Amino acid sequence: MIKIMTLLAKKVMGKALARSKIISTIDYQTLFYHFAKKSGVAVIAIETVGDLLEVRVICEALNAIGCQLDALGLAVWVTLTCPNDQIVDTGASIESCFEVLINCSYVTALGINCTAPQYVSNIISKLKNLLKLKKSNKFIVVYPNSGETYLARDLEDGEKENWKKRRKC
């Protein structure tokens, strides 16, 4: 059995990211290396990333601990969350985020999650084209949306989390 450690970006960094846009590389280094080493995982899945700055920080952190990742034989995948087929949650283009991830040598696979199904085909087509253009052999990862929508803003009165639940019929 392959163990996968999932880091839900918004659960880890959520409020700090939404309020200040400042994310520490050392926070990710700590998460990646220490948790992975202690848990014996084979894959680190960093999911639901919706900000270009966060993508850059993730890649900086991976580059900083690359030797340790290699020594542990860890694969890393990163998935974006998108409100449509053009941008990630905070407004950066999907392509700009994918390009940073493609250029990060420690990212084994990239893709999307927590994105409405009607946008998935177009986003994956864009990713395939970028991978082909960059002559990259990285894998594509896609997994479904739970039906919730991420609210990329400060919480309003009465709201307890940044996820809007799907209405039940």
Side-chain angles (χ1 to χ4, degrees):
M1 176 192 300
I2 296 175
K3 289 185 180 179
I4 299 175
M5 180 177 75
T6 301
L7 299 177
L8 181 60
K10 289 184 177 40
K11 293 287 185 190
V12 173
M13 299 296 174
K15 293 177 185 168
L17 174 61
R19 290 189 185 131
S20 68
K21 299 283 186 205
I22 296 173
I23 309 165
S24 167
T25 300
I26 195 68
D27 291 340
Y28 271 114
Q29 288 176 4
T30 301
L31 287 169
F32 294 159
Y33 182 66
H34 294 291
F35 291 155
K37 184 177 179 183
K38 290 180 182 179
S39 63
V41 299
V43 178
I44 299 174
I46 306 162
E47 62 178 25
T48 319
V49 178
D51 185 79
L52 180 58
L53 173 62
E54 190 171 13
V55 167
R56 289 181 177 144
V57 171
I58 289 166
C59 291
E60 287 174 18
L62 290 172
N63 288 331
I65 60 164
C67 292
Q68 293 95 329
L69 292 171
D70 287 343
L72 293 171
L74 290 172
V76 177
W77 80 50
V78 180
T79 58
L80 305 176
T81 180
C82 312
N84 57 45
D85 61 0
Q86 302 297 314
I87 59 173
V88 294
D89 283 342
T90 56
S93 75
I94 293 168
E95 290 93 342
S96 63
C97 293
F98 280 149
E99 284 186 20
V100 172
L101 293 168
I102 289 169
N103 291 326
C104 182
S105 60
Y106 294 100
V107 172
T108 309
L110 60 156
I112 58 170
N113 75 303
C114 290
T115 298
Q118 65 266 28
Y119 304 123
V120 172
S121 292
N122 285 342
I123 294 169
I124 295 306
S125 292
K126 289 178 185 188
L127 177 53
K128 283 181 178 179
N129 289 337
L130 281 171
L131 289 168
K132 185 176 179 181
L133 182 67
K134 300 280 188 175
K135 298 179 180 169
S136 174
N137 60 355
K138 294 183 189 290
F139 296 98
I140 296 175
V141 177
V142 180
Y143 45 104
N145 180 355
S146 67
E148 298 173 312
T149 302
Y150 181 70
L151 306 173
R153 59 170 170 71
D154 288 337
L155 296 177
E156 296 174 358
D157 288 338
E159 292 179 326
K160 295 180 181 173
E161 59 181 39
N162 284 83
W163 293 98
K164 180 180 175 185
K165 304 285 186 214
R166 176 178 40 183
R167 291 185 189 185
K168 295 188 179 187
C169 299

